[in-house]
PDB file of all heavy atoms in Angstrom:
ATOM      1  N   ASN A   1     -15.170 -18.674  -2.033  1.00 90.00           N
ATOM      2  CA  ASN A   1     -14.812 -17.271  -2.260  1.00 90.00           C
ATOM      3  C   ASN A   1     -14.327 -16.578  -0.998  1.00 90.00           C
ATOM      4  O   ASN A   1     -13.335 -15.843  -1.012  1.00 90.00           O
ATOM      5  CB  ASN A   1     -16.003 -16.507  -2.838  1.00 90.00           C
ATOM      6  CG  ASN A   1     -16.319 -16.915  -4.261  1.00 90.00           C
ATOM      7  OD1 ASN A   1     -15.596 -17.720  -4.868  1.00 90.00           O
ATOM      8  ND2 ASN A   1     -17.402 -16.382  -4.807  1.00 90.00           N
ATOM      9  N   GLU A   2     -15.035 -16.781   0.106  1.00 89.00           N
ATOM     10  CA  GLU A   2     -14.689 -16.107   1.355  1.00 89.00           C
ATOM     11  C   GLU A   2     -13.294 -16.515   1.833  1.00 89.00           C
ATOM     12  O   GLU A   2     -12.501 -15.677   2.282  1.00 89.00           O
ATOM     13  CB  GLU A   2     -15.719 -16.418   2.453  1.00 89.00           C
ATOM     14  CG  GLU A   2     -17.118 -15.884   2.173  1.00 89.00           C
ATOM     15  CD  GLU A   2     -17.899 -16.784   1.208  1.00 89.00           C
ATOM     16  OE1 GLU A   2     -17.390 -17.887   0.849  1.00 89.00           O
ATOM     17  OE2 GLU A   2     -18.991 -16.366   0.794  1.00 89.00           O
ATOM     18  N   GLU A   3     -12.995 -17.800   1.739  1.00 87.00           N
ATOM     19  CA  GLU A   3     -11.679 -18.282   2.175  1.00 87.00           C
ATOM     20  C   GLU A   3     -10.573 -17.704   1.284  1.00 87.00           C
ATOM     21  O   GLU A   3      -9.541 -17.240   1.774  1.00 87.00           O
ATOM     22  CB  GLU A   3     -11.626 -19.805   2.126  1.00 87.00           C
ATOM     23  CG  GLU A   3     -10.276 -20.376   2.540  1.00 87.00           C
ATOM     24  CD  GLU A   3     -10.178 -21.881   2.374  1.00 87.00           C
ATOM     25  OE1 GLU A   3     -11.196 -22.504   1.997  1.00 87.00           O
ATOM     26  OE2 GLU A   3      -9.081 -22.423   2.605  1.00 87.00           O
ATOM     27  N   LEU A   4     -10.804 -17.724  -0.027  1.00 90.00           N
ATOM     28  CA  LEU A   4      -9.813 -17.194  -0.955  1.00 90.00           C
ATOM     29  C   LEU A   4      -9.549 -15.713  -0.689  1.00 90.00           C
ATOM     30  O   LEU A   4      -8.397 -15.273  -0.604  1.00 90.00           O
ATOM     31  CB  LEU A   4     -10.292 -17.390  -2.392  1.00 90.00           C
ATOM     32  CG  LEU A   4      -9.380 -16.810  -3.488  1.00 90.00           C
ATOM     33  CD1 LEU A   4      -8.045 -17.539  -3.507  1.00 90.00           C
ATOM     34  CD2 LEU A   4     -10.060 -16.885  -4.850  1.00 90.00           C
ATOM     35  N   LEU A   5     -10.598 -14.927  -0.527  1.00 91.00           N
ATOM     36  CA  LEU A   5     -10.449 -13.496  -0.290  1.00 91.00           C
ATOM     37  C   LEU A   5      -9.728 -13.208   1.019  1.00 91.00           C
ATOM     38  O   LEU A   5      -8.900 -12.302   1.096  1.00 91.00           O
ATOM     39  CB  LEU A   5     -11.822 -12.818  -0.291  1.00 91.00           C
ATOM     40  CG  LEU A   5     -12.492 -12.696  -1.667  1.00 91.00           C
ATOM     41  CD1 LEU A   5     -13.952 -12.296  -1.521  1.00 91.00           C
ATOM     42  CD2 LEU A   5     -11.748 -11.689  -2.549  1.00 91.00           C
ATOM     43  N   ALA A   6     -10.032 -13.989   2.056  1.00 90.00           N
ATOM     44  CA  ALA A   6      -9.377 -13.781   3.349  1.00 90.00           C
ATOM     45  C   ALA A   6      -7.887 -14.048   3.247  1.00 90.00           C
ATOM     46  O   ALA A   6      -7.059 -13.297   3.784  1.00 90.00           O
ATOM     47  CB  ALA A   6     -10.009 -14.689   4.407  1.00 90.00           C
ATOM     48  N   ARG A   7      -7.507 -15.106   2.540  1.00 88.00           N
ATOM     49  CA  ARG A   7      -6.086 -15.432   2.388  1.00 88.00           C
ATOM     50  C   ARG A   7      -5.366 -14.367   1.558  1.00 88.00           C
ATOM     51  O   ARG A   7      -4.251 -13.951   1.900  1.00 88.00           O
ATOM     52  CB  ARG A   7      -5.933 -16.801   1.735  1.00 88.00           C
ATOM     53  CG  ARG A   7      -6.388 -17.955   2.609  1.00 88.00           C
ATOM     54  CD  ARG A   7      -6.017 -19.282   2.000  1.00 88.00           C
ATOM     55  NE  ARG A   7      -6.551 -20.392   2.764  1.00 88.00           N
ATOM     56  CZ  ARG A   7      -6.194 -21.667   2.589  1.00 88.00           C
ATOM     57  NH1 ARG A   7      -5.288 -21.958   1.668  1.00 88.00           N
ATOM     58  NH2 ARG A   7      -6.715 -22.620   3.309  1.00 88.00           N
ATOM     59  N   ILE A   8      -5.999 -13.940   0.494  1.00 91.00           N
ATOM     60  CA  ILE A   8      -5.384 -12.920  -0.358  1.00 91.00           C
ATOM     61  C   ILE A   8      -5.201 -11.618   0.412  1.00 91.00           C
ATOM     62  O   ILE A   8      -4.133 -10.985   0.353  1.00 91.00           O
ATOM     63  CB  ILE A   8      -6.238 -12.691  -1.622  1.00 91.00           C
ATOM     64  CG1 ILE A   8      -6.085 -13.885  -2.565  1.00 91.00           C
ATOM     65  CG2 ILE A   8      -5.835 -11.394  -2.325  1.00 91.00           C
ATOM     66  CD1 ILE A   8      -6.973 -13.819  -3.782  1.00 91.00           C
ATOM     67  N   ARG A   9      -6.231 -11.201   1.143  1.00 89.00           N
ATOM     68  CA  ARG A   9      -6.161  -9.954   1.901  1.00 89.00           C
ATOM     69  C   ARG A   9      -4.988  -9.983   2.879  1.00 89.00           C
ATOM     70  O   ARG A   9      -4.205  -9.039   2.972  1.00 89.00           O
ATOM     71  CB  ARG A   9      -7.469  -9.726   2.653  1.00 89.00           C
ATOM     72  CG  ARG A   9      -7.583  -8.336   3.295  1.00 89.00           C
ATOM     73  CD  ARG A   9      -8.929  -8.176   3.999  1.00 89.00           C
ATOM     74  NE  ARG A   9     -10.045  -8.425   3.103  1.00 89.00           N
ATOM     75  CZ  ARG A   9     -10.878  -9.470   3.203  1.00 89.00           C
ATOM     76  NH1 ARG A   9     -10.718 -10.368   4.163  1.00 89.00           N
ATOM     77  NH2 ARG A   9     -11.862  -9.619   2.349  1.00 89.00           N
ATOM     78  N   SER A  10      -4.838 -11.092   3.595  1.00 87.00           N
ATOM     79  CA  SER A  10      -3.765 -11.223   4.587  1.00 87.00           C
ATOM     80  C   SER A  10      -2.393 -11.196   3.929  1.00 87.00           C
ATOM     81  O   SER A  10      -1.476 -10.497   4.385  1.00 87.00           O
ATOM     82  CB  SER A  10      -3.948 -12.525   5.366  1.00 87.00           C
ATOM     83  OG  SER A  10      -2.862 -12.759   6.233  1.00 87.00           O
ATOM     84  N   LEU A  11      -2.249 -11.928   2.827  1.00 89.00           N
ATOM     85  CA  LEU A  11      -0.939 -12.017   2.174  1.00 89.00           C
ATOM     86  C   LEU A  11      -0.546 -10.715   1.488  1.00 89.00           C
ATOM     87  O   LEU A  11       0.627 -10.339   1.479  1.00 89.00           O
ATOM     88  CB  LEU A  11      -0.937 -13.167   1.158  1.00 89.00           C
ATOM     89  CG  LEU A  11      -0.979 -14.576   1.780  1.00 89.00           C
ATOM     90  CD1 LEU A  11      -1.181 -15.625   0.695  1.00 89.00           C
ATOM     91  CD2 LEU A  11       0.294 -14.858   2.570  1.00 89.00           C
ATOM     92  N   VAL A  12      -1.502 -10.006   0.924  1.00 88.00           N
ATOM     93  CA  VAL A  12      -1.187  -8.718   0.291  1.00 88.00           C
ATOM     94  C   VAL A  12      -0.759  -7.702   1.350  1.00 88.00           C
ATOM     95  O   VAL A  12       0.172  -6.919   1.133  1.00 88.00           O
ATOM     96  CB  VAL A  12      -2.389  -8.202  -0.528  1.00 88.00           C
ATOM     97  CG1 VAL A  12      -2.183  -6.744  -0.945  1.00 88.00           C
ATOM     98  CG2 VAL A  12      -2.588  -9.058  -1.774  1.00 88.00           C
ATOM     99  N   GLN A  13      -1.412  -7.726   2.506  1.00 84.00           N
ATOM    100  CA  GLN A  13      -0.999  -6.835   3.600  1.00 84.00           C
ATOM    101  C   GLN A  13       0.430  -7.128   4.021  1.00 84.00           C
ATOM    102  O   GLN A  13       1.233  -6.212   4.249  1.00 84.00           O
ATOM    103  CB  GLN A  13      -1.943  -6.982   4.785  1.00 84.00           C
ATOM    104  CG  GLN A  13      -3.306  -6.343   4.570  1.00 84.00           C
ATOM    105  CD  GLN A  13      -4.263  -6.603   5.718  1.00 84.00           C
ATOM    106  OE1 GLN A  13      -4.034  -7.484   6.552  1.00 84.00           O
ATOM    107  NE2 GLN A  13      -5.349  -5.856   5.748  1.00 84.00           N
ATOM    108  N   LEU A  14       0.785  -8.415   4.113  1.00 80.00           N
ATOM    109  CA  LEU A  14       2.158  -8.788   4.465  1.00 80.00           C
ATOM    110  C   LEU A  14       3.141  -8.329   3.387  1.00 80.00           C
ATOM    111  O   LEU A  14       4.256  -7.904   3.692  1.00 80.00           O
ATOM    112  CB  LEU A  14       2.259 -10.306   4.660  1.00 80.00           C
ATOM    113  CG  LEU A  14       1.668 -10.862   5.953  1.00 80.00           C
ATOM    114  CD1 LEU A  14       1.705 -12.386   5.939  1.00 80.00           C
ATOM    115  CD2 LEU A  14       2.422 -10.330   7.164  1.00 80.00           C
ATOM    116  N   LYS A  15       2.721  -8.419   2.120  1.00 81.00           N
ATOM    117  CA  LYS A  15       3.585  -7.969   1.025  1.00 81.00           C
ATOM    118  C   LYS A  15       3.834  -6.461   1.118  1.00 81.00           C
ATOM    119  O   LYS A  15       4.965  -5.989   0.938  1.00 81.00           O
ATOM    120  CB  LYS A  15       2.931  -8.312  -0.311  1.00 81.00           C
ATOM    121  CG  LYS A  15       3.677  -7.783  -1.551  1.00 81.00           C
ATOM    122  CD  LYS A  15       5.088  -8.352  -1.651  1.00 81.00           C
ATOM    123  CE  LYS A  15       5.713  -8.137  -3.000  1.00 81.00           C
ATOM    124  NZ  LYS A  15       5.770  -6.739  -3.446  1.00 81.00           N
ATOM    125  N   PHE A  16       2.787  -5.689   1.422  1.00 79.00           N
ATOM    126  CA  PHE A  16       2.967  -4.243   1.576  1.00 79.00           C
ATOM    127  C   PHE A  16       3.935  -3.936   2.709  1.00 79.00           C
ATOM    128  O   PHE A  16       4.783  -3.047   2.608  1.00 79.00           O
ATOM    129  CB  PHE A  16       1.624  -3.569   1.839  1.00 79.00           C
ATOM    130  CG  PHE A  16       0.712  -3.516   0.636  1.00 79.00           C
ATOM    131  CD1 PHE A  16      -0.637  -3.255   0.790  1.00 79.00           C
ATOM    132  CD2 PHE A  16       1.200  -3.732  -0.641  1.00 79.00           C
ATOM    133  CE1 PHE A  16      -1.488  -3.195  -0.305  1.00 79.00           C
ATOM    134  CE2 PHE A  16       0.360  -3.688  -1.749  1.00 79.00           C
ATOM    135  CZ  PHE A  16      -0.987  -3.413  -1.576  1.00 79.00           C
ATOM    136  N   PHE A  17       3.821  -4.703   3.803  1.00 72.00           N
ATOM    137  CA  PHE A  17       4.717  -4.511   4.942  1.00 72.00           C
ATOM    138  C   PHE A  17       6.153  -4.853   4.550  1.00 72.00           C
ATOM    139  O   PHE A  17       7.092  -4.108   4.861  1.00 72.00           O
ATOM    140  CB  PHE A  17       4.263  -5.378   6.110  1.00 72.00           C
ATOM    141  CG  PHE A  17       5.135  -5.274   7.322  1.00 72.00           C
ATOM    142  CD1 PHE A  17       5.256  -4.081   8.014  1.00 72.00           C
ATOM    143  CD2 PHE A  17       5.856  -6.373   7.782  1.00 72.00           C
ATOM    144  CE1 PHE A  17       6.066  -3.976   9.137  1.00 72.00           C
ATOM    145  CE2 PHE A  17       6.666  -6.281   8.899  1.00 72.00           C
ATOM    146  CZ  PHE A  17       6.767  -5.082   9.579  1.00 72.00           C
ATOM    147  N   ALA A  18       6.325  -5.970   3.831  1.00 71.00           N
ATOM    148  CA  ALA A  18       7.667  -6.370   3.384  1.00 71.00           C
ATOM    149  C   ALA A  18       8.263  -5.327   2.452  1.00 71.00           C
ATOM    150  O   ALA A  18       9.451  -5.018   2.518  1.00 71.00           O
ATOM    151  CB  ALA A  18       7.607  -7.735   2.690  1.00 71.00           C
ATOM    152  N   ASP A  19       7.425  -4.752   1.570  1.00 71.00           N
ATOM    153  CA  ASP A  19       7.915  -3.706   0.665  1.00 71.00           C
ATOM    154  C   ASP A  19       8.415  -2.497   1.439  1.00 71.00           C
ATOM    155  O   ASP A  19       9.428  -1.886   1.082  1.00 71.00           O
ATOM    156  CB  ASP A  19       6.802  -3.272  -0.293  1.00 71.00           C
ATOM    157  CG  ASP A  19       6.558  -4.288  -1.399  1.00 71.00           C
ATOM    158  OD1 ASP A  19       7.397  -5.191  -1.572  1.00 71.00           O
ATOM    159  OD2 ASP A  19       5.527  -4.185  -2.080  1.00 71.00           O
ATOM    160  N   SER A  20       7.698  -2.144   2.511  1.00 67.00           N
ATOM    161  CA  SER A  20       8.120  -0.987   3.306  1.00 67.00           C
ATOM    162  C   SER A  20       9.463  -1.246   3.974  1.00 67.00           C
ATOM    163  O   SER A  20      10.299  -0.351   4.096  1.00 67.00           O
ATOM    164  CB  SER A  20       7.057  -0.633   4.347  1.00 67.00           C
ATOM    165  OG  SER A  20       6.993  -1.608   5.382  1.00 67.00           O
ATOM    166  N   LEU A  21       9.688  -2.510   4.401  1.00 65.00           N
ATOM    167  CA  LEU A  21      10.976  -2.859   4.998  1.00 65.00           C
ATOM    168  C   LEU A  21      12.089  -2.806   3.954  1.00 65.00           C
ATOM    169  O   LEU A  21      13.200  -2.353   4.234  1.00 65.00           O
ATOM    170  CB  LEU A  21      10.907  -4.253   5.630  1.00 65.00           C
ATOM    171  CG  LEU A  21       9.998  -4.396   6.850  1.00 65.00           C
ATOM    172  CD1 LEU A  21       9.983  -5.835   7.334  1.00 65.00           C
ATOM    173  CD2 LEU A  21      10.423  -3.461   7.971  1.00 65.00           C
ATOM    174  N   GLU A  22      11.788  -3.291   2.744  1.00 67.00           N
ATOM    175  CA  GLU A  22      12.788  -3.234   1.679  1.00 67.00           C
ATOM    176  C   GLU A  22      13.114  -1.787   1.327  1.00 67.00           C
ATOM    177  O   GLU A  22      14.263  -1.440   1.075  1.00 67.00           O
ATOM    178  CB  GLU A  22      12.275  -3.975   0.437  1.00 67.00           C
ATOM    179  CG  GLU A  22      12.377  -5.484   0.545  1.00 67.00           C
ATOM    180  CD  GLU A  22      12.547  -6.135  -0.816  1.00 67.00           C
ATOM    181  OE1 GLU A  22      11.980  -5.637  -1.808  1.00 67.00           O
ATOM    182  OE2 GLU A  22      13.261  -7.141  -0.882  1.00 67.00           O
ATOM    183  N   ASP A  23      12.094  -0.936   1.315  1.00 65.00           N
ATOM    184  CA  ASP A  23      12.336   0.482   1.039  1.00 65.00           C
ATOM    185  C   ASP A  23      13.230   1.088   2.118  1.00 65.00           C
ATOM    186  O   ASP A  23      14.131   1.884   1.825  1.00 65.00           O
ATOM    187  CB  ASP A  23      11.008   1.249   0.977  1.00 65.00           C
ATOM    188  CG  ASP A  23      10.201   0.903  -0.268  1.00 65.00           C
ATOM    189  OD1 ASP A  23      10.789   0.340  -1.209  1.00 65.00           O
ATOM    190  OD2 ASP A  23       8.988   1.191  -0.286  1.00 65.00           O
ATOM    191  N   ALA A  24      12.983   0.708   3.380  1.00 68.00           N
ATOM    192  CA  ALA A  24      13.808   1.213   4.477  1.00 68.00           C
ATOM    193  C   ALA A  24      15.251   0.740   4.323  1.00 68.00           C
ATOM    194  O   ALA A  24      16.203   1.494   4.566  1.00 68.00           O
ATOM    195  CB  ALA A  24      13.237   0.745   5.820  1.00 68.00           C
ATOM    196  N   GLU A  25      15.431  -0.506   3.879  1.00 71.00           N
ATOM    197  CA  GLU A  25      16.783  -1.026   3.674  1.00 71.00           C
ATOM    198  C   GLU A  25      17.488  -0.254   2.562  1.00 71.00           C
ATOM    199  O   GLU A  25      18.680   0.049   2.660  1.00 71.00           O
ATOM    200  CB  GLU A  25      16.733  -2.517   3.326  1.00 71.00           C
ATOM    201  CG  GLU A  25      18.107  -3.143   3.185  1.00 71.00           C
ATOM    202  CD  GLU A  25      18.048  -4.647   3.035  1.00 71.00           C
ATOM    203  OE1 GLU A  25      17.048  -5.257   3.448  1.00 71.00           O
ATOM    204  OE2 GLU A  25      19.022  -5.209   2.523  1.00 71.00           O
ATOM    205  N   GLN A  26      16.745   0.092   1.511  1.00 73.00           N
ATOM    206  CA  GLN A  26      17.344   0.869   0.426  1.00 73.00           C
ATOM    207  C   GLN A  26      17.772   2.255   0.910  1.00 73.00           C
ATOM    208  O   GLN A  26      18.777   2.800   0.456  1.00 73.00           O
ATOM    209  CB  GLN A  26      16.359   0.992  -0.745  1.00 73.00           C
ATOM    210  CG  GLN A  26      16.131  -0.303  -1.497  1.00 73.00           C
ATOM    211  CD  GLN A  26      17.416  -0.931  -2.002  1.00 73.00           C
ATOM    212  OE1 GLN A  26      18.250  -0.259  -2.598  1.00 73.00           O
ATOM    213  NE2 GLN A  26      17.592  -2.223  -1.753  1.00 73.00           N
ATOM    214  N   ILE A  27      17.011   2.818   1.842  1.00 73.00           N
ATOM    215  CA  ILE A  27      17.389   4.113   2.415  1.00 73.00           C
ATOM    216  C   ILE A  27      18.687   3.977   3.200  1.00 73.00           C
ATOM    217  O   ILE A  27      19.573   4.837   3.126  1.00 73.00           O
ATOM    218  CB  ILE A  27      16.253   4.648   3.317  1.00 73.00           C
ATOM    219  CG1 ILE A  27      15.047   5.047   2.452  1.00 73.00           C
ATOM    220  CG2 ILE A  27      16.731   5.852   4.133  1.00 73.00           C
ATOM    221  CD1 ILE A  27      13.800   5.361   3.246  1.00 73.00           C
ATOM    222  N   ILE A  28      18.818   2.883   3.963  1.00 76.00           N
ATOM    223  CA  ILE A  28      20.046   2.631   4.724  1.00 76.00           C
ATOM    224  C   ILE A  28      21.237   2.506   3.778  1.00 76.00           C
ATOM    225  O   ILE A  28      22.317   3.062   4.016  1.00 76.00           O
ATOM    226  CB  ILE A  28      19.901   1.359   5.582  1.00 76.00           C
ATOM    227  CG1 ILE A  28      18.878   1.571   6.698  1.00 76.00           C
ATOM    228  CG2 ILE A  28      21.244   0.934   6.162  1.00 76.00           C
ATOM    229  CD1 ILE A  28      19.292   2.594   7.733  1.00 76.00           C
ATOM    230  N   ILE A  29      21.045   1.775   2.675  1.00 76.00           N
ATOM    231  CA  ILE A  29      22.129   1.601   1.703  1.00 76.00           C
ATOM    232  C   ILE A  29      22.501   2.938   1.073  1.00 76.00           C
ATOM    233  O   ILE A  29      23.685   3.254   0.906  1.00 76.00           O
ATOM    234  CB  ILE A  29      21.719   0.573   0.627  1.00 76.00           C
ATOM    235  CG1 ILE A  29      21.635  -0.827   1.248  1.00 76.00           C
ATOM    236  CG2 ILE A  29      22.714   0.577  -0.529  1.00 76.00           C
ATOM    237  CD1 ILE A  29      21.022  -1.864   0.342  1.00 76.00           C
ATOM    238  N   ALA A  30      21.484   3.741   0.742  1.00 77.00           N
ATOM    239  CA  ALA A  30      21.753   5.068   0.175  1.00 77.00           C
ATOM    240  C   ALA A  30      22.508   5.937   1.172  1.00 77.00           C
ATOM    241  O   ALA A  30      23.431   6.674   0.798  1.00 77.00           O
ATOM    242  CB  ALA A  30      20.439   5.738  -0.229  1.00 77.00           C
ATOM    243  N   LEU A  31      22.135   5.839   2.449  1.00 75.00           N
ATOM    244  CA  LEU A  31      22.818   6.610   3.484  1.00 75.00           C
ATOM    245  C   LEU A  31      24.276   6.167   3.603  1.00 75.00           C
ATOM    246  O   LEU A  31      25.177   6.998   3.767  1.00 75.00           O
ATOM    247  CB  LEU A  31      22.089   6.433   4.819  1.00 75.00           C
ATOM    248  CG  LEU A  31      22.635   7.200   6.026  1.00 75.00           C
ATOM    249  CD1 LEU A  31      22.640   8.694   5.764  1.00 75.00           C
ATOM    250  CD2 LEU A  31      21.797   6.883   7.266  1.00 75.00           C
ATOM    251  N   ALA A  32      24.506   4.849   3.505  1.00 77.00           N
ATOM    252  CA  ALA A  32      25.880   4.334   3.572  1.00 77.00           C
ATOM    253  C   ALA A  32      26.713   4.873   2.411  1.00 77.00           C
ATOM    254  O   ALA A  32      27.899   5.190   2.578  1.00 77.00           O
ATOM    255  CB  ALA A  32      25.862   2.805   3.551  1.00 77.00           C
ATOM    256  N   LYS A  33      26.112   5.001   1.231  1.00 76.00           N
ATOM    257  CA  LYS A  33      26.828   5.559   0.084  1.00 76.00           C
ATOM    258  C   LYS A  33      27.185   7.021   0.324  1.00 76.00           C
ATOM    259  O   LYS A  33      28.262   7.481  -0.065  1.00 76.00           O
ATOM    260  CB  LYS A  33      25.975   5.428  -1.179  1.00 76.00           C
ATOM    261  CG  LYS A  33      25.823   4.002  -1.685  1.00 76.00           C
ATOM    262  CD  LYS A  33      25.001   3.981  -2.966  1.00 76.00           C
ATOM    263  CE  LYS A  33      24.847   2.568  -3.504  1.00 76.00           C
ATOM    264  NZ  LYS A  33      24.067   2.528  -4.756  1.00 76.00           N
ATOM    265  N   VAL A  34      26.262   7.736   0.966  1.00 75.00           N
ATOM    266  CA  VAL A  34      26.531   9.136   1.296  1.00 75.00           C
ATOM    267  C   VAL A  34      27.709   9.238   2.255  1.00 75.00           C
ATOM    268  O   VAL A  34      28.579  10.104   2.126  1.00 75.00           O
ATOM    269  CB  VAL A  34      25.279   9.809   1.908  1.00 75.00           C
ATOM    270  CG1 VAL A  34      25.618  11.179   2.483  1.00 75.00           C
ATOM    271  CG2 VAL A  34      24.185   9.941   0.854  1.00 75.00           C
ATOM    272  N   ILE A  35      27.755   8.328   3.224  1.00 74.00           N
ATOM    273  CA  ILE A  35      28.862   8.316   4.186  1.00 74.00           C
ATOM    274  C   ILE A  35      30.181   8.036   3.473  1.00 74.00           C
ATOM    275  O   ILE A  35      31.193   8.696   3.714  1.00 74.00           O
ATOM    276  CB  ILE A  35      28.605   7.275   5.293  1.00 74.00           C
ATOM    277  CG1 ILE A  35      27.418   7.722   6.154  1.00 74.00           C
ATOM    278  CG2 ILE A  35      29.845   7.072   6.163  1.00 74.00           C
ATOM    279  CD1 ILE A  35      26.899   6.638   7.066  1.00 74.00           C
TER     280      ILE A  35
END
C-alpha cells in the first residue's frame, strides 16, 4: 500500500503540473489568435 500510494501521489502531482503547462500553452494560442 505504501509504495502504491507514494507512486500515485508523485505521478498525480506531475499530471497537475503538466495540465498547468498545457493551460499556459492554450493561453499563448489564444493570444496568437488575438494578434
Side-chain angles (χ1 to χ4, degrees):
N1 290 355
E2 295 80 6
E3 179 185 356
L4 177 65
L5 288 168
R7 292 189 185 192
I8 287 175
R9 189 179 304 112
S10 174
L11 290 172
V12 168
Q13 286 175 345
L14 285 174
K15 175 61 166 56
F16 288 164
F17 179 64
D19 284 347
S20 71
L21 293 178
E22 282 209 325
D23 289 343
E25 184 172 338
Q26 290 305 312
I27 290 170
I28 292 294
I29 291 170
L31 182 59
K33 289 182 179 181
V34 170
I35 292 167

